[in-house]
Amino acid sequence: MEILTVCPTSTATILACQRIARTFRENIYELSILRKEWDPEYATSLNIWIDDTIDKHYSDSLDSIEDEHYKHWHEVMVEGLQHLKVLRASMKVDFKKDKEFLREFFEKTGYTEYFSDAKNGDHFSLYKFLKTFAGNLDEDARQRITDKGTMDSLFDKILVCAGRVDECEDCFKALESDAELNKYGRMEVSSIYSVIQDICRIAIAYYQFDPDKRCKFTYYKVLVNL
């Protein structure tokens, strides 16, 4: 059986899914009012499915979540997304009357295509987001934004993260690599990830006014706190 040994990216993915599934089961009696199929049996079956998948495909790679390469990857994710979110918020304040500039900048630098998935925990989207931002940022737009009040150093921080992400390129690209799992393993993990993302979307909406519970269903926050 093919096992991911080079990079723990997929290990992180499945472990985040496992943690969210456990939280889902712990809160199933409350959440069962939201969906017909959400009941204790469904929550238990989901957890068994994920645990069995980990046993089949990740038994030899769980320790990799602790290695230094993963920790470095983790830092890049946290820092890069934080800076990109701050820039977006700042621009929405400064250019709220210039929707055309916002649209053009967000499309050119990757926000339109990647931001939503990146902030929801899709780390490969975040990798592509950082690279797109660094590759397409032009000096005129940067100057225009800083003239409005955004610190120029914020751009430098994003570009530093985009540069550092190359050191973790194998981690991000492992998500699409044919070598990370065999065909059936990739299909299984992809299916689990899809189910967990759907659960998170609904649970986050339900727990809008309960920050502690909402964080436990925010994939990105669960992922970076493994």
Side-chain angles (χ1 to χ4, degrees):
M1 180 177 296
E2 298 175 57
I3 297 292
L4 175 62
T5 56
V6 176
C7 171
T9 301
S10 289
T11 306
T13 299
I14 197 67
L15 290 179
C17 289
Q18 183 186 50
R19 184 167 295 184
I20 292 169
R22 288 175 177 172
T23 301
F24 177 65
R25 182 172 58 187
E26 291 168 3
N27 294 274
I28 190 59
Y29 290 104
E30 181 179 8
L31 294 173
S32 62
I33 65 173
L34 304 178
R35 300 279 300 177
K36 291 180 179 179
E37 71 272 22
W38 286 7
D39 57 26
E41 183 178 357
Y42 176 82
T44 298
S45 297
L46 176 61
N47 276 264
I48 292 172
W49 179 26
I50 295 174
D51 290 346
D52 286 348
T53 299
I54 291 174
D55 287 342
K56 284 188 291 183
H57 302 296
Y58 294 93
S59 58
D60 294 336
S61 60
L62 292 179
D63 290 341
S64 63
I65 202 74
E66 302 295 336
D67 71 22
E68 289 302 317
H69 193 45
Y70 171 77
K71 291 177 181 177
H72 179 61
W73 168 77
H74 176 283
E75 292 171 359
V76 172
M77 284 187 63
V78 173
E79 293 176 21
L81 186 57
Q82 179 185 23
H83 299 323
L84 287 164
K85 289 173 73 174
V86 170
L87 176 61
R88 180 177 180 271
S90 183
M91 289 184 64
K92 281 184 169 288
V93 170
D94 292 334
F95 295 95
K96 56 189 172 185
K97 294 183 179 179
D98 192 346
K99 303 295 186 183
E100 183 65 20
F101 177 69
L102 284 177
R103 184 187 63 78
E104 291 177 356
F105 182 84
F106 288 158
E107 285 185 357
K108 185 174 182 180
T109 56
Y111 278 92
T112 302
E113 185 172 1
Y114 301 119
F115 180 73
S116 179
D117 288 336
K119 72 181 178 66
N120 286 323
D122 186 334
H123 24 292
F124 193 71
S125 287
L126 177 55
Y127 166 75
K128 292 186 286 188
F129 188 7
L130 284 166
K131 300 307 292 183
T132 300
F133 185 94
N136 293 343
L137 177 66
D138 65 75
E139 286 302 316
D140 288 342
R142 179 171 178 169
Q143 187 62 52
R144 184 173 176 181
I145 295 166
T146 55
D147 285 346
K148 282 284 191 176
T150 295
M151 297 296 290
D152 188 64
S153 58
L154 182 58
F155 288 95
D156 292 331
K157 291 176 182 177
I158 295 172
L159 295 176
V160 166
C161 287
R164 290 176 62 201
V165 85
D166 285 332
E167 302 168 22
C168 307
E169 185 173 0
D170 57 334
C171 286
F172 290 95
K173 288 193 172 181
L175 286 175
E176 293 188 350
S177 171
D178 289 339
E180 65 176 72
L181 294 172
N182 62 32
K183 179 177 68 174
Y184 301 105
R186 292 196 304 274
M187 291 173 58
E188 196 164 17
V189 173
S190 177
S191 296
I192 289 171
Y193 179 78
S194 179
V195 169
I196 292 297
Q197 286 286 357
D198 289 344
I199 287 173
C200 287
R201 289 188 182 95
I202 297 172
I204 286 171
Y206 179 72
Y207 288 121
Q208 179 180 356
F209 302 109
D210 187 337
D212 292 336
K213 287 282 185 68
R214 189 173 68 246
C215 284
K216 292 180 180 180
F217 287 98
T218 302
Y219 185 88
Y220 173 76
K221 291 182 178 180
V222 173
L223 183 72
V224 300
N225 285 299
L226 285 174

